[in-house]
Structure formats: C-alpha cells, structure tokens
C-alpha cells in the first residue's frame, strides 16, 4: 500500500515574511564627540575645531554614522552642525544616536519602503527570530494589517494567529 504524504504547511496557502531580509547591510560607525572635547569633558571652540580638522573623514565614506557622546557634557548645537558639515560628503546616513538605534532606524526605513503588495489578501506569517528587535514586529503589523487576510507569527507549520479577517 502506497502512502501519500501531504505537506500541510504548503497546502495551507500561508506566505512567510522574514524581517531579516530587510536588515540594512550598510556598515554603521560611531563618532564619539568625547574624543574631540578638551580633557574629554568640555567643548572649547578652538580645541574642538582643531581636533575635528585633524580627522580623516573619508573613513566614513559610504557608511552610516552614529554620532554620540559617551560622557555627560554640555554640547552646543554648533558642534553637531560642524560635524555634519564634515560628514556630509562621505556618510550615506547620519543620526545623533547609538549605532544600535541607527541600525534599527535603517531597518525600519527598509521595511517601510518595501513592496508589500505580494502579501495583499494573503494569509501571512511573520517569521520568528531572536535577532529581530520587537519594534520591527510592531511596524510589520502596522504595515501588514490593512493588506492581509490574516496575520500570524512564528512558522508556517505552527503559527500563532494574530488576527483573521
């Protein structure tokens, strides 16, 4: 007697979306303002300008830059403007934040720009992943809810149902 095996996951018609596919591939470098402060604590205009002028900003070419200050210092707004002026010809993306937050922001931008039309009126499962920040699950749900017939979390074979239309 021949047994016929049915792939129930394939037969379910569920389509998976993997948020890792939208993770940015760009390298993110940190630029710590502390490295340009007098005694690592104080903004002194002349010393700051000299320190920044000595930097080879070409190292940021084609990269994203996370500008931060790892010490508790009062940073006047002109400092950020001066740094951006130097970074502008080189960096693809610059933000005042940690590198982890910059990566998350870029990841969100990739997901927002993604063509999600193939998921329209479909049963969709957002794949589980330990490397995926929770904020992306929020965004994915926000973007997919108006499009999909049903939304699930996990894997096609054993999804957790979030909603059904």
């Amino acid at each position: 007697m021949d047994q016929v095996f049915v792939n129930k996951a394939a037969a379910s018609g569920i389509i998976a979306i993997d948020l890792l596919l939208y993770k940015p591939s760009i390298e993110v470098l940190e630029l710590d303002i502390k490295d340009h402060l007098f005694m690592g604590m104080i903004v002194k205009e002349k010393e700051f300008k000299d320190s920044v002028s000595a930097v080879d900003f070409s190292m940021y070419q084609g990269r994203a830059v996370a500008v931060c200050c790892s010490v508790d210092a009062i940073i006047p707004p002109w400092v950020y403007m001066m740094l951006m002026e130097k970074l502008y010809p080189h960096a693809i993306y610059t933000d005042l934040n940690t590198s982890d937050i910059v990566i998350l922001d870029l990841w969100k931008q990739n997901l927002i720009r993604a063509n999600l039309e193939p998921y329209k009126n479909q049963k969709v499962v957002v794949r589980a992943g330990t490397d995926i920040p929770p904020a992306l699950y929020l965004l994915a749900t926000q973007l997919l809810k108006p499009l999909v017939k049903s939304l699930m979390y996990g894997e096609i074979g054993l999804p957790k149902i979030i909603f059904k239309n």
Side-chain angles (χ1 to χ4, degrees):
M1 180 195 291
D2 290 334
Q3 289 185 333
V4 176
F5 291 98
V6 176
N7 183 337
K8 291 183 181 180
S12 70
I14 297 173
I15 300 172
I17 182 171
D18 188 347
L19 298 178
L20 285 173
L21 296 175
Y22 301 97
K23 187 174 184 174
S25 58
I26 190 170
E27 184 180 2
V28 178
L29 298 179
E30 260 184 22
L31 189 159
D32 194 341
I33 295 170
K34 170 194 68 98
D35 299 337
H36 304 286
L37 300 179
F38 179 72
M39 296 176 53
M41 299 170 26
I42 302 165
V43 176
K44 288 181 82 175
E45 186 173 353
K46 182 181 179 337
E47 286 82 352
F48 184 83
K49 285 181 176 181
D50 290 346
S51 178
V52 168
S53 293
V55 173
D56 177 9
F57 281 89
S58 67
M59 74 172 120
Y60 299 106
Q61 189 66 40
R63 295 180 170 92
V65 180
V67 177
C68 62
C69 188
S70 60
V71 295
D72 190 19
I74 297 170
I75 310 295
W78 63 263
V79 165
Y80 304 113
M81 294 174 72
M82 182 171 285
L83 289 173
M84 190 63 225
E85 189 276 327
K86 299 291 188 187
L87 288 166
Y88 182 80
H90 305 286
I92 290 175
Y93 180 85
T94 305
D95 195 9
L96 181 62
N97 234 315
T98 65
S99 56
D100 288 343
I101 299 296
V102 168
I103 289 169
L104 179 61
D105 287 347
L106 292 169
W107 202 339
K108 286 178 179 180
Q109 287 178 23
N110 288 348
L111 189 56
I112 288 168
R113 289 188 201 120
N115 176 15
L116 300 177
E117 280 298 310
Y119 301 105
K120 190 170 186 163
N121 298 319
Q122 300 293 323
K123 295 185 263 180
V124 177
V125 63
V126 178
R127 288 195 188 269
T130 56
D131 296 344
I132 299 171
L136 284 164
Y137 291 109
L138 282 172
L139 180 59
T141 303
Q142 178 185 2
L143 296 172
L144 290 168
K145 179 151 177 56
L147 291 175
V148 302
K149 188 187 310 182
S150 61
L151 185 65
M152 296 159 273
Y153 166 82
E155 294 300 325
I156 291 175
L158 191 60
K160 176 174 282 308
I161 296 170
I162 304 302
F163 80 88
K164 285 184 182 181
N165 281 339

